[in-house]
C-alpha cells in the first residue's frame, strides 16, 4: 500500500496570503489528522476528520481550517498567513480506533 | 489528557541496546502508549504500541510497568540509522474520538 501522501512538499508564502495543503491517506483509512510541528512548540494537534466530519479540534485560531472529502482525502487551509505559521505541517491517517497513526512526510511552509 | 516525560537526549554505541524511558504517570486505563521516531525532515514513523502487556515487533520491544505509569522502548541492536528523535505518546479517547498528546521527545544519538 502507498503511504500517506502530502502535497506540496515545500511552500513559500508571504504574510497575509492564504495556503491550501493536501493530504491523501492510506487506502482504506477514513480518519485523517493534521499537526503543526515547530522547533519551539514541537508537535501540536490541529484537527481530526472522519467520514467528512471534524471530530476534534486543537487550540488553534479560526484561520486554520480543514475539510475531508468523500474519498477520505483531506485539505487544510490557513488564511491571512503570519510569520509564526512557518512550520512543518503533518498529516496522518488511521485505519480505526486504537490502530497506529501513519504520517506523511509533511509540507514545509515558510512565511516571509 | 495524560502527558509524557522523556529525557531530552541519550547516547548509544552502535550494536548495543538502546533503552529509552518514558513517564506517563496520569495515564488512564483505556489509553495506549505509542512510540514514534522522526528523522530530520521526515514525518514521524510508527514503531510500536501497547496497552498493558509487553510488546515486540521487528523494530523494537516495549516494556510497560505493571502500574502503567512508565514504559521503556528497547532497540536491541542500535545502528547509525536509528539516530532520530523518539516520541512517547499517550492516546486519549474522549467521547468516541481521539487526539494525541505529544511530548518533546528524546534525541537518540547512535555513535560508531
Amino acid at each position: 500500500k502507498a503511504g500517506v501522501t502530502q502535497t506540496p512538499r515545500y511552500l513559500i508564502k508571504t504574510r497575509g496570503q492564504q495556503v491550501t495543503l493536501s493530504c491523501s491517506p492510506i487506502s482504506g483509512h477514513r480518519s485523517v489528522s493534521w499537526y503543526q510541528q515547530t522547533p519551539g512548540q514541537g508537535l501540536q494537534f490541529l484537527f481530526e476528520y472522519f467520514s467528512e466530519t471534524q471530530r476534534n479540534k486543537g487550540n488553534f485560531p479560526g484561520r486554520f481550517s480543514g475539510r475531508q472529502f468523500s474519498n477520505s482525502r483531506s485539505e487544510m487551509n490557513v488564511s491571512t498567513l503570519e510569520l509564526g505559521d512557518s512550520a512543518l505541517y503533518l498529516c496522518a491517517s488511521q485505519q480505526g480506533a486504537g490502530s497506529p497513526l501513519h504520517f506523511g512526510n509533511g509540507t514545509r511552509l515558510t512565511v516571509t | 489528557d495524560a502527558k509524557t516525560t522523556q529525557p531530552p537526549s541519550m547516547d548509544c554505541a552502535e550494536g548495543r541496546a538502546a533503552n529509552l524511558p518514558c513517564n506517563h504517570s496520569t495515564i488512564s486505563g483505556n489509553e495506549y502508549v505509542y512510540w514514534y521516531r522522526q528523522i530530520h525532515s521526515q514525518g514521524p514513523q510508527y514503531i510500536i504500541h501497547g496497552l498493558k502487556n509487553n510488546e515486540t515487533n521487528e523494530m523494537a520491544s516495549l516494556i510497560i510497568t505493571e502500574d502503567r505509569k512508565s514504559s521503556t522502548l528497547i532497540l536491541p541492536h542500535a545502528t547509525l540509522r536509528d539516530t532520530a528523535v523518539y516520541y512517547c505518546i499517550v492516546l486519549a479517547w474522549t467521547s468516541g474520538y481521539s487526539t494525541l498528546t505529544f511530548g518533546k521527545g528524546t534525541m537518540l544519538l547512535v555513535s560508531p
Side-chain angles (χ1 to χ4, degrees), chain A residues 1-75:
Chain A
K1 277 186 180 179
V4 177
T5 303
Q6 292 188 247
T7 56
R9 190 76 174 87
Y10 301 94
L11 266 179
I12 300 176
K13 293 286 187 178
T14 58
R15 281 179 298 176
Q17 288 187 314
Q18 74 168 23
V19 66
T20 298
L21 313 181
S22 180
C23 172
S24 293
I26 293 173
S27 178
H29 288 197
R30 295 166 63 189
S31 169
V32 174
S33 305
W34 287 89
Y35 301 84
Q36 181 195 66
Q37 185 177 38
T38 58
Q41 299 297 320
L43 279 162
Q44 292 186 289
F45 172 74
L46 279 158
F47 27 66
E48 182 209 358
Y49 287 87
F50 181 83
S51 292
E52 303 178 64
T53 301
Q54 187 180 89
R55 290 203 298 192
N56 197 16
K57 190 178 190 302
N59 189 27
F60 278 81
R63 300 185 297 107
F64 292 81
S65 63
R67 60 178 175 169
Q68 186 181 32
F69 302 96
S70 59
N71 62 359
S72 294
R73 190 177 68 86
S74 178
E75 289 180 348

Side-chain angles (χ1 to χ4, degrees), chain A residues 9 35 37 40-43 45 48 55-56 88 90 94 97-105 108, chain B residues 32 34 36 38 40-46 49 87 89 91 93 96-100 102-104:
Chain A
R9 190 76 174 87
Y35 301 84
Q37 185 177 38
Q41 299 297 320
L43 279 162
F45 172 74
E48 182 209 358
R55 290 203 298 192
N56 197 16
L88 180 65
L90 293 161
Q94 185 180 27
S99 62
L101 286 181
H102 295 273
F103 287 85
N105 279 328
R108 173 76 62 183
Chain B
Y32 291 79
Y34 286 77
Y36 284 78
Q38 188 171 22
H40 183 63
S41 296
Q42 296 182 18
Q45 178 190 21
Y46 165 76
H49 75 284
Y87 294 101
I89 297 160
L91 179 60
W93 294 93
Y97 53 82
S98 64
T99 185
L100 297 186
F102 295 98
K104 296 296 185 183

